[in-house]
Amino acid sequence: MANARNFRDAGGYRTADGHWVRMGLVYRSNNLHSLVQSDLDALAAVRLTRVVDLRNVMERTEDPDKVPAGATYQVADLLDVTKGLPSGGDLGLALLLALPSLLDSSKDAQQQLGYRLMVNAPSARAAYRDMLTGVAATLKQNGPASVFHCTAGKDRTGWGAAVLLTLLGVDRATVTADFLASNTYYGADSVRQNWLDAAFDEVNRKYGSFDAYVRTGLGLSDDTVATLKAGLLTD
């Protein structure tokens, strides 16, 4: 959409075992503050009934979302201090692992640190659990769609989409391509592959496997995982 240029379908991808991720059920986006009525009408037409906002309180206050009438607005703030912030060994190691990038680019160092913290920070893990649980709740309604977003729809949203697609069985190369598409939709050099790689590296370092991250790190229930797969995968 012209007023949310990184708004796109999270589906349409082939999984490693030959399924497809359904389209028209989950979208990813940048913020929805600039939408006009025609945009809201378009979202209502695709039965968008849940908006999950990954932004912090300042972002939400300065640029509040515009959502279709009747849609559920859900906050899943990655920086919600009440859910816990990174500390101790996780924070120290994330800082240490980011330091070599300072030699090449401060932007790389900052983003690689941020992506690692999106994996291990308690507030971030709670936010992604809430996001995925909310999407699953909407899928149980047999038809309505959800969207999750942050400000630019590329970092917090990018990792959220990577988690969802990987959980559904989409291969890493395809997940990376979806992540890097923000460079087309939002602007050149909006994201870099090594940032996403840093997040996956942190998953393996902290949890040993992606499945352990989903089950232990995010704390997703078997029912939520089953609902996401049943609702979003098709032959």
Side-chain angles (χ1 to χ4, degrees), residues 143-163:
S146 303
V147 62
F148 58 91
H149 77 88
C150 54
T151 292
K154 62 186 186 69
D155 298 309
R156 289 166 288 186
T157 298
W159 178 239
V163 171

Side-chain angles (χ1 to χ4, degrees), residues 53-65 73 75-82 151 156:
D53 193 341
L54 301 171
R55 298 177 299 165
N56 63 46
V57 63
M58 183 176 295
E59 294 168 301
R60 300 194 306 270
T61 301
E62 291 181 349
D63 294 308
D65 275 348
Y73 174 73
V75 172
D77 185 347
L78 270 71
L79 295 178
D80 183 352
V81 296
T82 68
T151 292
R156 289 166 288 186

Side-chain angles (χ1 to χ4, degrees), residues 13-232:
Y13 295 116
R14 194 77 159 167
T15 65
D17 65 358
H19 289 84
W20 289 97
V21 181
R22 295 179 186 272
M23 298 185 73
L25 291 175
V26 183
Y27 298 90
R28 50 172 295 177
S29 184
N30 54 307
N31 80 74
L32 307 181
H33 173 70
S34 298
L35 299 186
V36 297
Q37 189 57 50
S38 59
D39 298 321
L40 295 173
D41 292 342
L43 296 183
V46 298
R47 300 186 65 196
L48 188 79
T49 60
R50 182 179 298 269
V51 175
V52 184
D53 193 341
L54 301 171
R55 298 177 299 165
N56 63 46
V57 63
M58 183 176 295
E59 294 168 301
R60 300 194 306 270
T61 301
E62 291 181 349
D63 294 308
D65 275 348
K66 296 176 182 176
V67 302
T72 297
Y73 174 73
Q74 175 186 352
V75 172
D77 185 347
L78 270 71
L79 295 178
D80 183 352
V81 296
T82 68
K83 302 291 179 64
L85 296 177
S87 61
D90 285 334
L91 178 58
L93 184 58
L95 285 165
L96 181 64
L97 291 170
L99 284 178
S101 298
L102 286 169
L103 300 175
D104 301 319
S105 165
S106 60
K107 181 178 181 179
D108 263 350
Q110 179 184 18
Q111 292 292 78
Q112 288 194 45
L113 171 60
Y115 275 74
R116 289 183 181 276
L117 294 180
M118 283 195 290
V119 172
N120 63 42
S123 57
R125 288 188 282 115
Y128 287 120
R129 180 182 64 246
D130 291 348
M131 180 197 93
L132 292 167
T133 302
V135 169
T138 299
L139 288 171
K140 285 185 174 181
Q141 299 173 35
N142 297 320
S146 303
V147 62
F148 58 91
H149 77 88
C150 54
T151 292
K154 62 186 186 69
D155 298 309
R156 289 166 288 186
T157 298
W159 178 239
V163 171
L164 175 62
L165 292 174
T166 303
L167 183 156
L168 294 173
V170 177
D171 66 88
R172 178 74 171 271
T174 304
V175 169
T176 299
D178 177 76
F179 175 78
L180 292 175
S182 285
N183 290 329
T184 298
Y185 291 101
Y186 196 76
D189 200 32
S190 292
V191 290
R192 299 176 185 174
Q193 181 175 337
N194 62 327
W195 303 349
L196 183 64
D197 290 343
F200 278 112
D201 287 347
E202 187 66 13
V203 165
N204 291 329
R205 182 201 72 80
K206 175 74 173 176
Y207 299 101
S209 70
F210 184 82
D211 186 64
Y213 166 67
V214 169
R215 304 290 183 163
T216 304
L218 300 184
L220 287 186
S221 68
D222 290 343
D223 179 66
T224 296
V225 172
T227 298
L228 290 170
K229 290 182 177 180
L232 290 173

